[in-house]
Amino acid sequence: MHIKDKLAEAERSGKPMFSFEFFPPKTAQGVQNLYDRMDRMHGLGPAFVDVTWGAGGRLSELTCEMVNVAQSVYGLETCMHLTCTDMERSKVDNALKEAYKAGCTNILALRGDPPREQEKWEATEGGFRYAKDLVKYIRDTYGDHFDIGVAGYPEGCDDQDDNELLMDHLKEKIDAGGTFVVTQMFYDADIFIAWVKRCREKGISVPIIPGIMPIHTHAAFIRRANWSKCHIPTSWTKALDPVKNDDAAVREIGKGLVADLCRKILDAGIMHLHFYTMNLAQATRMVLEELDLAPSEETPLEQPLPWRQSLGLNRRDENVRPIFWRNRNKSYVMRTQDWDEFPNGRWGDSRSPAFGELDAYGIGLKGSNEQNIKAWGKPQSVSDIANLFTRYLEGAVNSLPWSESPITPEADSIKPDLLDLNGRGFLTINSQPAVNGVKSSHPVHGWGPRNGYVYQKAYLELFVSPELISELLTRIERDPELTYYAVNKSGNLKTNASNDGPNAVTWGVFPGKEIVQPTIVETVSFLAWKDEAFRLGEDWASCHTASSPSRHLIQNLVETWYLVNIVHNDFHEPRSIFGVFDGLSVPAIDEAIGAEQDVKTNHLSNGEAHLSNGDSHVLKN
């Protein structure tokens, strides 16, 4: 979606919006940390984010990658910076092509700063001299596909102090095809508001977005103000100087100062704030909370669907997904990125080509061996693994190999049952409670347009010991409301589903729309998920040395346990799905496995447990 359209909506509604700027980190670990932070800051509800471009395009490949990840994986509307500095036309063309392929529809066209080794800015032969030339080239080449932003300087820029000349340049950039303006940072609202008035008098009518720099530390505050040559109000100096050596106090006082700046801007009728985050979250979040713009229990973030939408190329209308990747959104997006079409309205024959390979970037286990051992310990028994899962459910552990994010409030209503199951050795990796028609605005279960109602079937996905699989499936098949799929690593699939078609486990009813069924359970996708789920277990085992008991224990689980998903098809029954586990526990759950023990087969014959009920379907892939 174009930024100018988002800005128009904010002006029409009178509801302020905000956005964040990020820059490419210099190390691989820094990139991963930033992705995690972008993922978390998505929860604050930015209208868009932008990603900067290094001087001379030094980090151009990383900028393009970050735009793709933000747009496709995290569902963040993204604006890519693009500069003229030291950029041949071919490099510009490649960057625009990558942005297009990522589904990005917004570009911030800049002249840019010279590389550090150059004192003065110089045009590259065959490149672009001014930002207006870049704007015109993008518009001529891509028509209206890209919304094109340009930079504005309320207090001058580093190599030009003539504000009238800068205003003329800004008008030229707009006349060349620019559709919105993002300003340099400032701390004096009166200077900015007066500058906006001069812009309007000059005939610049496009939306103007103020650039806001939160205050992280006093030293950084002074350094950035000096770099941008922006005026610091005397009242700010008096407030911050006495506490300049206390970072926490600086952030607290700075929060109030920046929030007051933002209020003056909003009161002047400008309904959008653009935060220069410096890749940090705390100071920005504090300002948003001070302004009551951050989501809360009273004003939750609106979700179009129960899962994070991708804004990648051709994916904006996607509205159906299997539930299995609920806790691994990035993996699902990466494994389906080469699909020609994406399910819309129903899960049909659009699943082509097949799910991508497991060795693709972003699909395997995150983190180093040391980090994962620190997070998940060195389990010696099934009880140790079960305790890890219960700690995750209690919020004491932030992730599991199969769940990249902390447990969400949606699990609260069934948390006692989940804790009980894991305590008995049933290792749950995915679940949802039954929901019978709550409002779409519900702070926990709500999604979709206002004034609708949403529904869910109870769902459980878990690893089951081979010693219990036969009894559990027999019990499930006695209950006509339950359907299941069970599969081991070798691919022996058992199910009582009547066909391979999808079973909707989440749906919504909204005024003036057909029923939406965004989450399903289905055979082909479950088998694709099976490969990934067992691969993640293998990756976890490989974090430990080959001779360690922990590696043998986890590998034993991967080789012999079953991955099972269960759906209770009567959404009026919130707890019945747990009844089939009554009285069942993993035998010898506290028994430690020795390094010398081989991987057990535990009642398996040729990798397949005996089922006492012969009516279940057994499929081998």
Side-chain angles (χ1 to χ4, degrees):
M1 184 175 182
H2 284 169
I3 287 172
K4 69 175 186 298
D5 296 329
K6 289 178 174 284
L7 300 176
E9 173 58 29
E11 189 172 344
R12 277 195 301 271
S13 67
K15 181 180 178 182
M17 292 183 181
F18 54 87
S19 50
F20 303 141
E21 178 179 286
F22 301 105
F23 62 85
K26 295 180 180 179
T27 66
Q29 186 59 54
V31 172
Q32 185 55 59
N33 292 341
L34 178 57
Y35 283 156
D36 292 341
R37 186 165 290 125
M38 290 169 72
D39 190 17
R40 292 193 297 273
M41 293 180 76
H42 181 286
L44 293 171
F48 69 90
V49 302
D50 66 12
V51 182
T52 66
W53 189 269
R58 288 179 171 181
L59 298 174
S60 58
E61 290 185 5
L62 182 52
T63 295
C64 292
E65 178 201 306
M66 288 177 61
V67 168
N68 182 47
V69 170
Q71 191 85 23
S72 299
V73 176
Y74 299 127
L76 290 161
E77 198 72 65
T78 307
C79 177
M80 186 179 79
H81 287 214
L82 188 58
T83 71
C84 302
T85 304
D86 202 26
M87 292 277 289
E88 304 92 350
R89 186 162 303 201
S90 61
K91 189 178 283 189
V92 170
D93 286 336
N94 184 65
L96 291 170
K97 187 184 299 182
E98 290 300 314
Y100 184 94
K101 286 167 54 181
C104 175
T105 59
N106 301 283
I107 300 290
L108 188 62
L110 308 164
R111 190 197 69 177
D113 302 317
R116 288 185 182 275
E117 64 271 12
Q118 289 181 216
E119 293 185 7
K120 295 179 118 184
W121 188 91
E122 296 177 2
T124 298
E125 185 177 351
F128 303 92
R129 182 167 184 81
Y130 300 115
K132 66 178 181 181
D133 302 323
L134 180 58
V135 171
K136 185 177 186 304
Y137 180 75
I138 297 171
R139 186 63 72 210
D140 289 346
T141 306
Y142 283 89
D144 292 331
H145 175 79
F146 289 114
D147 210 14
I148 305 174
V150 298
Y153 301 94
E155 299 177 80
C157 62
D158 58 348
D159 62 352
Q160 183 56 259
D161 295 325
D162 187 335
N163 285 329
E164 286 306 313
L165 184 59
L166 285 170
M167 186 68 72
D168 289 338
H169 290 167
L170 179 57
K171 182 67 163 62
E172 290 171 353
K173 289 185 285 189
I174 298 303
D175 291 344
T179 47
F180 64 94
V181 178
V182 181
T183 75
Q184 178 68 279
M185 60 171 283
F186 59 88
Y187 288 124
D188 191 319
D190 293 335
I191 291 175
F192 167 74
I193 292 168
W195 179 81
V196 171
K197 183 179 179 182
R198 292 202 310 276
C199 287
R200 300 313 186 206
E201 291 170 349
K202 189 75 173 179
I204 298 170
S205 59
V206 301
I208 295 175
I209 303 174
I212 309 298
M213 178 70 77
I215 297 175
H216 305 90
T217 68
H218 188 268
F221 163 65
I222 296 297
R223 183 173 65 252
R224 289 163 188 156
N226 290 338
W227 172 78
S228 63
K229 300 180 181 179
C230 72
H231 173 251
I232 301 175
T234 303
S235 59
W236 288 43
T237 302
K238 288 180 178 178
L240 291 168
D241 274 0
V243 296
K244 63 183 179 182
N245 295 319
D246 184 340
D247 289 349
V250 167
R251 278 192 296 272
E252 186 63 28
I253 293 172
K255 169 193 73 176
L257 295 171
V258 175
D260 285 342
L261 168 69
C262 294
R263 290 190 188 98
K264 290 179 182 178
I265 294 168
L266 296 172
D267 289 344
I270 293 174
M271 292 288 106
H272 194 98
L273 305 168
H274 185 61
F275 289 91
Y276 297 117
T277 70
M278 305 308 293
N279 289 0
L280 300 171
Q282 184 179 12
T284 299
R285 186 182 65 248
M286 290 170 68
V287 173
L288 290 173
E289 290 172 348
E290 183 72 8
L291 293 168
D292 291 327
L293 293 180
S296 64
E297 189 168 329
E298 292 74 29
T299 57
L301 189 65
E302 293 183 6
Q303 297 185 93
L305 293 165
W307 36 264
R308 180 85 60 83
Q309 279 185 293
S310 170
L311 300 180
L313 187 65
N314 300 326
R315 295 195 83 137
R316 290 176 184 263
D317 294 329
E318 176 187 15
N319 65 8
V320 184
R321 284 188 185 177
I323 196 172
F324 316 120
W325 282 270
R326 176 184 183 143
N327 299 317
R328 286 179 56 79
N329 181 67
K330 180 178 182 180
S331 171
Y332 182 80
V333 172
M334 299 303 290
R335 292 191 67 186
T336 57
Q337 64 183 339
D338 293 328
W339 286 9
D340 299 320
E341 298 178 67
F342 297 91
N344 176 264
R346 60 184 293 273
W347 181 268
D349 296 329
S350 58
R351 299 163 293 159
S352 178
F355 288 87
E357 297 299 322
L358 295 178
D359 56 359
Y361 175 76
I363 293 175
L365 195 65
K366 288 170 55 177
S368 66
N369 292 349
E370 293 75 15
Q371 289 171 328
N372 291 334
I373 289 173
K374 182 178 180 181
W376 303 324
K378 299 180 179 180
Q380 308 288 304
S381 64
V382 173
S383 179
D384 289 343
I385 297 179
N387 288 337
L388 171 64
F389 278 59
T390 58
R391 291 176 63 226
Y392 173 76
L393 291 168
E394 292 168 341
V397 175
N398 289 327
S399 67
L400 292 173
W402 300 274
S403 301
E404 294 180 338
S405 303
I407 194 74
T408 67
E410 187 185 34
D412 288 350
S413 64
I414 56 173
K415 188 173 291 185
D417 297 295
L418 296 175
L419 288 169
D420 176 61
L421 278 182
N422 283 277
R424 290 187 277 136
F426 293 97
L427 307 176
T428 59
I429 64 171
N430 196 352
S431 62
Q432 72 175 27
V435 172
N436 182 15
V438 301
K439 291 285 285 184
S440 58
S441 57
H442 190 280
V444 175
H445 303 297
W447 56 271
R450 292 175 179 270
N451 302 316
Y453 290 88
V454 298
Y455 301 80
Q456 292 181 175
K457 297 175 183 177
Y459 175 81
L460 274 177
E461 187 177 331
L462 65 168
F463 286 107
V464 177
S465 165
E467 295 167 301
L468 299 175
I469 190 69
S470 178
E471 175 61 23
L472 176 64
L473 299 190
T474 298
R475 293 182 179 195
I476 292 173
E477 291 181 344
R478 289 174 182 158
D479 187 335
E481 297 293 347
L482 295 176
T483 52
Y484 76 89
Y485 290 86
V487 68
N488 61 8
K489 183 189 172 190
S490 64
N492 293 318
L493 177 70
K494 312 173 192 304
T495 180
N496 65 345
S498 58
N499 56 61
D500 291 344
N503 179 6
V505 291
T506 307
W507 64 100
V509 181
F510 307 100
K513 295 186 68 174
E514 294 183 356
I515 293 176
V516 182
Q517 300 178 348
T519 314
I520 54 100
V521 168
E522 180 266 349
T523 306
V524 173
S525 53
F526 180 60
L527 290 174
W529 165 244
K530 176 270 295 185
D531 294 336
E532 185 171 330
F534 284 109
R535 169 69 175 272
L536 290 167
E538 291 179 326
D539 289 350
W540 182 23
S542 296
C543 292
H544 302 271
T545 59
S547 60
S548 70
S550 296
R551 182 158 181 168
H552 281 253
L553 172 69
I554 300 167
Q555 193 64 42
N556 176 62
L557 186 152
V558 170
E559 296 293 338
T560 66
W561 286 42
Y562 272 76
L563 178 65
V564 180
N565 74 65
I566 309 170
V567 177
H568 197 292
N569 291 289
D570 185 349
F571 57 88
H572 300 92
E573 296 289 338
R575 292 200 64 256
S576 295
I577 195 170
F578 297 100
V580 293
F581 298 93
D582 287 349
L584 297 179
S585 298
V586 172
I589 191 172
D590 295 315
E591 181 180 316
I593 185 170
E596 73 283 353
Q597 287 181 263
D598 293 327
V599 173
K600 299 178 181 178
T601 55
N602 289 319
H603 304 305
L604 288 178
S605 175
N606 296 322
E608 186 173 332
H610 171 69
L611 292 178
S612 56
N613 187 327
D615 293 334
S616 67
H617 307 291
V618 180
L619 309 175
K620 297 184 180 182
N621 69 333

